């Protein structure tokens, strides 16, 4: 009891508290670690083996959190949502550009407006998950395909198409369907 009182006194008199922990620090509380014999990787329900794309998604979401930490943002959820909103904005812009390339500027604006109504105002925007994060990859692939067909920087856009197909597949395997469709259209058009 005396040790707890001294700890409480130290906490109350401190301006900053640092906790050093390592792998397995939570195991005494009954929370399993990852690598031990009874760890999460060896349990009956292996989450990341069933959903391997989410392991990459966890890594991807750690990037905006780390950037937010550099700027002193302590609300990590805000960092992830901001990152996802940037992806949504990029998707909307690419959709607008693709519609412009296929039709005319007025149609591009109409398509963008419809996108804002359907996606931008959706409550799902604030829930970070693979479907939402993976939405940009098929759009980047289609945009790159249209630029390649126009013979605008074909080497760069072929690399961009391939890279986003791979990264999109790592986040949401269905994101590679656009790449497969582009490959089929390219083969058929020869």
């Amino acid at each position: 009891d005396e040790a707890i009182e001294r700890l409480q006194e130290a906490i109350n008199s401190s301006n900053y508290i640092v906790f050093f922990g390592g792998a397995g620090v939570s195991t005494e509380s009954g929370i399993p670690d990852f690598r031990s014999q009874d760890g999460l990787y060896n349990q009956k329900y292996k989450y990341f083996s069933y959903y391997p794309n989410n392991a990459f998604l966890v890594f991807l979401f750690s990037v905006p959190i780390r950037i937010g930490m550099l700027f002193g943002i302590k609300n990590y959820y805000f960092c992830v949502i901001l990152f996802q909103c940037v992806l949504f904005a990029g998707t909307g812009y690419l959709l607008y550009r693709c519609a412009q390339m296929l039709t005319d500027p007025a149609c591009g604006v109409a398509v963008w407006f419809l996108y804002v109504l359907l996606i931008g105002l959706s409550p799902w925007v604030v829930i970070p998950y693979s479907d939402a994060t993976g939405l940009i990859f098929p759009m980047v692939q289609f945009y790159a395909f249209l630029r390649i067909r126009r013979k605008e920087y074909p080497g760069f856009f072929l690399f961009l198409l391939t890279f986003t197909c791979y990264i999109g597949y790592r986040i949401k395997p269905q994101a590679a369907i656009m790449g497969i469709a582009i490959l089929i259209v390219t083969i058929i058009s020869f």
Side-chain angles (χ1 to χ4, degrees):
D1 288 329
E2 185 180 322
I4 293 174
E5 288 177 15
R6 283 188 293 164
L7 176 64
Q8 183 65 46
E9 185 178 308
I11 290 172
N12 290 342
S13 65
S14 299
N15 290 332
Y16 301 100
I17 298 172
V18 177
F19 173 77
F20 290 101
V25 74
S26 59
T27 54
E28 289 186 27
S29 303
I31 300 171
D33 61 3
F34 282 93
R35 286 173 247 151
S36 70
Q37 185 177 358
D38 297 326
L40 292 176
Y41 283 121
N42 294 321
Q43 288 184 2
K44 182 179 177 185
Y45 302 104
K46 298 178 182 178
Y47 179 76
F48 289 124
S49 66
Y50 292 133
Y51 307 103
N53 59 313
N54 287 343
F56 184 72
L57 194 62
V58 167
F59 164 76
L60 188 66
F61 283 155
S62 73
V63 173
I65 290 171
R66 289 180 192 158
I67 293 171
M69 290 170 67
L70 290 174
F71 290 102
I73 299 172
K74 294 183 177 22
N75 186 341
Y76 303 137
Y77 186 71
F78 172 77
C79 297
V80 172
I81 295 305
L82 182 63
F83 171 71
Q84 190 158 294
C85 286
V86 168
L87 290 179
F88 279 139
T91 303
Y93 175 74
L94 289 174
L95 182 64
Y96 161 74
R97 292 288 294 137
C98 288
Q100 272 190 327
M101 283 191 264
L102 292 171
T103 57
D104 58 56
C107 184
V109 171
V111 167
W112 177 82
F113 184 73
L114 185 61
Y115 171 82
V116 169
L117 286 177
L118 293 175
I119 303 294
L121 300 178
S122 169
W124 290 101
V125 171
V126 295
I127 300 174
Y129 67 113
S130 60
D131 288 348
T133 306
L135 191 62
I136 193 166
F137 295 101
M139 279 312 309
V140 172
Q141 293 166 27
F142 188 61
Y143 177 74
F145 173 69
L146 292 177
R147 296 290 297 263
I148 290 168
R149 291 199 70 163
R150 290 174 156 215
K151 301 190 185 334
E152 299 172 352
Y153 307 105
F156 170 74
F157 284 109
L158 181 60
F159 168 77
L160 184 64
L161 191 152
T162 307
F163 180 73
T164 54
C165 190
Y166 171 74
I167 296 296
Y169 175 78
R170 295 291 308 264
I171 292 173
K172 188 71 177 175
Q174 291 85 343
I177 291 173
M178 178 64 79
I180 294 167
I182 289 169
L183 182 64
I184 291 170
V185 166
T186 304
I187 290 170
I188 290 173
S189 13
F190 273 126

